[in-house]
Amino acid sequence: MRITVFGATGGIGGHVVRQALEAGHKVTAVVRTSSAYDMEHPALEVIRVPGLTEAEPLRDAVDGSEAVISGVGARGRKDGPVASESTRSMLAAMEAVGVRRFVAVSAAPLGPVPADEGFLNRRLLYPMINAFAAEVYADLRAMEADIMSSTTEWTIVRPPKLTNKALTGTYRTVVGGTVTRGYMISRADVAHLMLAALDNPATVGQPVGVAY
C-alpha cells in the first residue's frame, strides 16, 4: 500500500513511518520545510511543505496514495488549534485528489466513559483531565467533528497517556468506545494500531479506544 503520513517528525508519526516501511509499504512522509528529517529508505519519499494550514501544498503529498495517516497534534496546552486546522487542510487535499481512507489520532478523554469504569475515575480523574487540558481537547473535538462530517472512510484512534516504551503489539481496543481503566499506551503501539486499522473494515467510520 502507498501511505501518506502527516506528523512524520512526531512521536506517533515517526513510528508509523518506520513500521509501515518495515511492513513493506511505500510511504510519503510530509514534514515542514523548517524541520530536520534524515530518515532514508528506498520506499520512502519525503515531501517538505511550509505548513499544514493550506490544502493546496498538500495535494501532491496525498495524490496517488491509498491511505492517509495523521499523527499531528498539539505538543502542549498553549499550541493553539494545531490538530483541527491541519486536519481541515488534509481533508480538503484528500477530497481534491480522491483519496478516501483516513486514520487520525485523537485522545481517550473525548470518548464516552465506560459504564463499568470505577467511581473515582468517573467522578474525579476524567473531569480533572478534561479541565487540565481543556484547550487541547477543544481542538481535538473540532478535529473529530470535521473528520466525522467528511466524505472519507475515517478511523479516529483515541489513546490515553502516551509513553515512549517499546512496541508490544499487545493492547486492548474498543471500537466505538473507551477502554475501561486504560491509563497508558506507548506511541509505538498507537502507530501499530493505526496501521492495523487500514485493513480492518470494522474500524471505518468509528472511533477506536486503545490502551494496555
Side-chain angles (χ1 to χ4, degrees), residues 59-146:
R59 290 178 60 167
D60 288 344
V62 300
D63 195 11
S65 288
E66 297 163 77
V68 174
I69 294 180
S70 173
V72 174
R75 296 177 185 271
R77 290 184 294 158
K78 303 301 181 182
D79 281 0
V82 172
S84 57
E85 290 184 354
S86 299
T87 301
R88 288 187 195 108
S89 300
M90 295 175 210
L91 293 171
M94 290 174 65
E95 184 172 3
V97 300
V99 179
R100 297 291 307 282
R101 191 71 174 101
F102 185 52
V103 180
V105 67
S106 183
L110 274 71
V113 177
D116 56 346
E117 188 60 80
F119 176 82
L120 289 178
N121 287 348
R122 284 188 288 110
R123 296 297 185 183
L124 294 177
L125 182 61
Y126 277 88
M128 183 175 67
I129 291 172
N130 274 283
F132 177 74
E135 299 93 340
V136 173
Y137 296 139
D139 178 34
L140 291 174
R141 286 189 184 91
M143 179 197 76
E144 287 199 3
D146 287 336

Side-chain angles (χ1 to χ4, degrees), residues 14-103:
H15 283 292
V16 171
V17 172
R18 287 187 287 273
Q19 291 179 30
L21 291 171
E22 290 169 1
H25 299 297
K26 294 181 178 179
V27 178
T28 299
V30 184
V31 302
R32 296 178 186 272
T33 306
S34 59
S35 297
Y37 194 75
D38 56 5
M39 186 181 295
E40 295 182 358
H41 190 281
L44 174 65
E45 178 185 13
V46 179
I47 292 184
R48 295 186 176 275
V49 296
L52 301 178
T53 57
E54 299 292 336
E56 184 62 31
L58 308 184
R59 290 178 60 167
D60 288 344
V62 300
D63 195 11
S65 288
E66 297 163 77
V68 174
I69 294 180
S70 173
V72 174
R75 296 177 185 271
R77 290 184 294 158
K78 303 301 181 182
D79 281 0
V82 172
S84 57
E85 290 184 354
S86 299
T87 301
R88 288 187 195 108
S89 300
M90 295 175 210
L91 293 171
M94 290 174 65
E95 184 172 3
V97 300
V99 179
R100 297 291 307 282
R101 191 71 174 101
F102 185 52
V103 180

Side-chain angles (χ1 to χ4, degrees), residues 167-172 185 189 192 211-212:
L167 171 69
T168 69
T170 303
Y171 42 78
R172 295 179 291 155
I185 189 168
D189 276 324
H192 184 272
Y212 293 135

